Amino acid sequence: MGQKKDLTGSEKSKIVRYLAEGCSSLKIAKLLKRDHRTIKRFIQNSQQGRKKRVDKPRRKITAHELRKVKRAAAKMPLATSLAIFQSCNITGVPKSTRCAILRDMAKVRKAERRPPLNKTHKLKRQDWAKKYLKTDFSKVLWTDEMRVSLDGPDGWARGWIGKGQRAPVRLRRQQGGGGVLVWAGIIKDELVGPFRVEDGVKLNSQSYCQFLEDTFFKQWYRKKSASFKKNMIFMQDNAPSHASKYSTAWLARKGIKEEKLMTWPPCSPDLNPIENLWSIIKCEIYKEGKQYTSLNSVWEAVVAAAHNVDGEQITTLTESMDGRLLSVLAKKGGYIGR
């Protein structure tokens, strides 16, 4: 709340006059349309006024201390400004000054999320990269699922707001409102789907295979030529419903087996280009902090956003695989980002 105005000279004169006429402090407050407590304080001390804030001189930071702060910021990622300055034994610096100093040498960032990679994972990622280094990735169908909620990922509803403008109101739900599970694939310059998993269905091996039968095989795969089916390589990650013996045998009966079913290294979402497609879709459906009131409305938004992704964007994603494989080998199986 902002500071209230002190009583003006005219108001003080009126208070004195009203008191001489026998008016009570409450009546004077009503006549002047001022807070009763303000009138009472003035009567108790007619010279009273709000104390002006005295700005204390800010502590100066030396060049030597700045170098210490820079080293501490590099050694302590994600630390608060107070923790960084305390580690340098620099005290008496207000938060506004600390942040102003740090903005010149650092940025506020969130920690990156990535799957844990141990030595075995890295070796398997390298073996996978070597195995598929000469593959024609225009013939690979990259698939995955994505879950979308009514409100979007946490922290996506933040942005710049002009001075004097109010922040938009966001709906607050008791239980989050649920979400929609979406499956899709990309191959060369083509988008397959997206297809919606029926609400309430938990994808185990049987339901996953039935879902592929009702959507992918009936609505897309069967329309393709025999030569296309012969050359296509099907990629899926190692989710339990994907990699189970039941699902593998079922896909084999559909003709997707051996070299036509791509092996996938563990903990490797960074190698799947469709993850970038999910990012494009989410940025579109949740832009400007948009929320949804029903599962059908968020599904319609996903379909519209997916159909707005043109062939050039999909080609860019699928053609990035050669570079991803080389990056995996260069980093000895390490995480390459997306």
Side-chain angles (χ1 to χ4, degrees):
M1 183 181 292
Q3 289 186 342
K4 295 181 179 179
K5 294 181 179 179
D6 288 323
L7 291 169
T8 64
S10 174
E11 288 175 324
K12 291 177 182 179
S13 299
K14 289 179 181 180
I15 292 172
V16 174
R17 188 172 72 249
Y18 288 144
L19 286 173
E21 294 174 359
C23 295
S24 66
S25 60
L26 181 59
K27 185 176 181 180
I28 295 172
K30 291 180 179 179
L31 290 170
L32 296 181
K33 297 181 180 180
R34 296 297 297 257
D35 189 275
H36 184 212
R37 292 167 294 183
T38 304
I39 304 299
K40 287 178 68 176
R41 280 197 299 268
F42 172 75
I43 294 172
Q44 291 171 2
N45 183 2
S46 60
Q47 298 302 318
Q48 180 177 345
R50 185 174 287 110
K51 292 182 180 179
K52 299 295 182 182
R53 185 176 126 184
V54 179
D55 290 328
K56 297 180 181 179
R58 290 187 174 181
R59 185 190 188 290
K60 292 185 178 180
I61 306 296
T62 65
H64 175 66
E65 289 175 328
L66 281 175
R67 289 193 293 271
K68 290 173 65 177
V69 169
K70 189 173 183 178
R71 286 195 296 268
K75 292 179 180 178
M76 303 168 61
L78 303 181
T80 63
S81 63
L82 179 61
I84 291 172
F85 274 72
Q86 284 180 341
S87 70
C88 301
N89 295 321
I90 303 175
T91 59
V93 182
K95 182 179 179 180
S96 58
T97 304
R98 296 196 305 265
C99 292
I101 291 171
L102 288 172
R103 271 195 292 270
D104 292 334
M105 61 182 71
K107 291 182 179 180
V108 177
R109 299 285 297 274
K110 292 176 68 176
E112 294 183 8
R113 292 185 177 183
R114 60 178 62 173
L117 291 177
N118 57 35
K119 186 176 180 180
T120 302
H121 295 157
K122 292 180 180 180
L123 289 174
K124 288 184 177 181
R125 284 163 62 91
Q126 290 182 78
D127 292 341
W128 177 84
K130 292 173 183 176
K131 177 180 179 180
Y132 290 102
L133 197 57
K134 296 182 180 180
T135 300
D136 181 1
F137 289 111
S138 66
K139 295 180 172 59
V140 177
L141 175 68
W142 308 93
T143 72
D144 195 20
E145 294 94 9
M146 167 187 70
R147 180 170 290 279
V148 290
S149 66
L150 300 182
D151 299 330
D154 292 340
W156 278 33
R158 305 180 73 179
W160 293 100
I161 295 176
K163 290 184 178 179
Q165 294 181 323
R166 293 177 62 87
V169 176
R170 282 184 64 80
L171 300 175
R172 182 178 178 182
R173 297 178 229 273
Q174 191 70 23
Q175 300 296 334
V180 174
L181 187 61
V182 181
W183 183 96
I186 54 175
I187 180 169
K188 197 175 180 180
D189 60 351
E190 186 178 356
L191 172 66
V192 182
F195 299 117
R196 178 179 178 176
V197 178
E198 187 178 345
D199 296 341
V201 173
K202 184 177 180 180
L203 281 187
N204 53 30
S205 300
Q206 291 79 11
S207 59
Y208 173 66
C209 294
Q210 186 61 50
F211 170 79
L212 290 181
E213 175 65 31
D214 296 338
T215 55
F216 168 68
F217 281 101
K218 285 185 178 179
Q219 299 183 40
W220 187 81
Y221 189 71
R222 287 182 181 176
K223 299 176 183 178
K224 296 298 180 180
S225 64
S227 61
F228 177 89
K229 295 177 182 178
K230 180 181 178 180
N231 295 318
M232 191 199 80
I233 300 173
F234 187 84
M235 173 272 155
Q236 59 181 3
D237 62 22
N238 295 319
S241 59
H242 301 174
S244 67
K245 292 181 179 180
Y246 179 93
S247 298
T248 304
W250 185 85
L251 286 171
R253 292 196 295 273
K254 292 289 185 179
I256 298 177
K257 57 185 176 179
E258 299 173 351
E259 295 302 317
K260 288 176 59 62
L261 181 61
M262 177 177 280
T263 57
W264 193 248
C267 303
S268 299
D270 56 317
L271 301 180
N272 191 351
I274 201 173
E275 295 289 349
N276 300 89
L277 175 69
W278 296 144
S279 297
I280 293 171
I281 292 175
K282 285 184 176 180
C283 286
E284 177 63 25
I285 66 175
Y286 295 123
K287 65 182 179 181
E288 299 178 358
K290 185 172 178 59
Q291 291 180 289
Y292 298 88
T293 56
S294 68
L295 298 181
N296 286 335
S297 62
V298 71
W299 164 244
E300 291 169 1
V302 169
V303 173
H307 290 164
N308 284 334
V309 179
D310 58 37
E312 284 188 16
Q313 289 176 288
I314 297 174
T315 300
T316 300
L317 297 180
T318 55
E319 288 183 350
S320 69
M321 288 309 302
D322 291 316
R324 297 187 195 220
L325 267 64
L326 292 174
S327 296
V328 169
L329 294 174
K331 294 191 175 184
K332 298 181 179 180
Y335 190 80
I336 64 169
R338 297 180 191 173

